[in-house]
């Protein structure tokens, strides 16, 4: 089980789906300002709770939620844009600790690679599979899933750079992960109340991206093709769905 983050109960700011879903948990528990369920809402998706982490000893299962978020969107790192990110699924748990402070436990991030247009050649017309280039997001090791207003907390990512010509160790942010401070864009909408499913959009266009490391002899080419490192011009936009279950609703482990 991952390290639990503690916060004094006097500064609790409300639970969240993840760094960029934090504000939604208060809405999911019945906040008066929550939007109405759309009359023609599609059936809620089937969410997988198998990545729910173990919760700390001594806490009440009914007070802890396992939160699952799926998101797609677009990404710009340096000089390259990926217009359609592969779906990401992010799971974590949160609830009150025995001393009354807030606790969080990381679960997992799952995503397939997203193809980088132009690949290693830099030419969109290239069809050589050896020159293909993809990025796969991985958890960067640090997060804060609490929010204030439309500021949706902190979430860090690394991006594994994948190509037949590159070592598996080629990573953007291996030692210095990309730090996202996402903001909610527009209003959230309930898709379903049972199970609880909420949709929302989020973005960040003010983060920095380090150069890729561990790429072997082609490291300089990788960073040249991606325009890294990049202190500005980076952006991520996400469209997400978020749901949760309390731990007394989950099957026994």
């Amino acid at each position: 089980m991952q390290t639990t983050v503690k916060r004094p109960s006097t500064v609790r700011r409300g639970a969240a789906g993840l760094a960029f879903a934090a504000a939604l948990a208060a809405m999911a528990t019945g906040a008066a300002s929550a939007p109405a369920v759309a009359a023609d809402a599609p059936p809620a998706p089937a969410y997988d709770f198998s990545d729910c982490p173990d919760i700390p000893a001594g806490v009440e299962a009914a007070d802890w939620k396992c939160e699952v978020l799926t998101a797609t969107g677009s990404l710009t790192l340096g000089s390259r844009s990926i217009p359609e990110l592969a779906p990401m699924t992010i799971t974590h748990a949160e609830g009150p600790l025995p001393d009354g402070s807030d606790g969080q436990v990381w679960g997992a991030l799952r995503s397939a690679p997203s193809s980088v247009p132009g690949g290693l050649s830099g030419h969109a017309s290239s069809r050589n599979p050896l020159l293909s280039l993809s990025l796969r997001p991985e958890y960067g090791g640090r997060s804060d899933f609490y929010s204030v207003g439309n500021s949706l907390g902190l979430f860090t990512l690394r991006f594994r750079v994948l190509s037949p010509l590159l070592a598996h160790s080629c990573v953007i942010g291996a030692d210095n992960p990309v730090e996202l401070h996402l903001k909610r864009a527009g209003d959230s909408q309930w898709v379903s109340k049972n199970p609880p499913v909420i949709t929302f959009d989020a973005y960040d266009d003010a983060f920095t991206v380090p150069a890729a490391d561990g790429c072997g002899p082609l490291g300089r080419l990788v960073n040249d093709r991606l325009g890294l490192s990049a202190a500005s011009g980076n952006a991520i936009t996400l469209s997400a769905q978020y749901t949760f279950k309390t731990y007394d609703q989950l099957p026994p482990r």
Side-chain angles (χ1 to χ4, degrees), residues 85-100:
L85 282 173
M88 293 187 294
T89 299
I90 301 167
T91 305
H92 85 285
E94 60 181 49
L97 295 169
D99 64 2

Side-chain angles (χ1 to χ4, degrees), residues 17-185:
L18 93 139
F20 45 88
L24 300 177
M27 303 161 83
T29 53
S33 59
V37 177
D40 57 350
Y47 281 91
D48 183 356
F49 288 86
S50 61
D51 282 332
C52 293
D54 292 334
I55 55 178
V59 302
E60 294 293 334
D63 294 337
W64 273 72
K65 295 186 297 183
C66 180
E67 307 184 351
V68 181
L69 180 141
T70 61
T72 59
S74 63
L75 175 70
T76 297
L77 297 183
S79 61
R80 291 295 185 91
S81 294
I82 299 175
E84 295 185 11
L85 282 173
M88 293 187 294
T89 299
I90 301 167
T91 305
H92 85 285
E94 60 181 49
L97 295 169
D99 64 2
S101 61
D102 294 331
Q104 300 178 8
V105 183
W106 173 253
L109 185 157
R110 296 184 182 272
S111 181
S114 297
S115 178
V116 178
L120 284 173
S121 72
H123 301 292
S125 60
S126 174
R127 296 292 184 269
N128 188 338
L130 287 176
L131 299 178
S132 65
L133 188 66
S134 298
L135 300 179
R136 187 180 68 214
E138 300 176 354
Y139 180 51
R142 192 161 63 94
S143 58
D144 179 350
F145 295 165
Y146 293 96
S147 70
V148 177
N150 285 332
S151 296
L152 302 178
L154 162 71
F155 189 63
T156 59
L157 290 174
R158 299 182 179 95
F159 293 91
R160 193 163 298 274
V161 186
L162 302 172
S163 173
L165 299 179
L166 296 176
H168 184 70
S169 58
C170 186
V171 175
I172 299 168
D175 298 321
N176 183 25
V178 175
E179 188 172 299
L180 299 178
H181 295 266
L182 288 116
K183 296 179 175 60
R184 186 171 45 175

Side-chain angles (χ1 to χ4, degrees), residues 201-224:
D201 295 327
Y203 72 95
D204 186 357
D205 57 6
F207 58 94
T208 62
V209 182
D213 292 317
C215 304
L218 296 181
R220 179 174 296 181
L221 175 63
V222 168
N223 287 313
D224 179 67

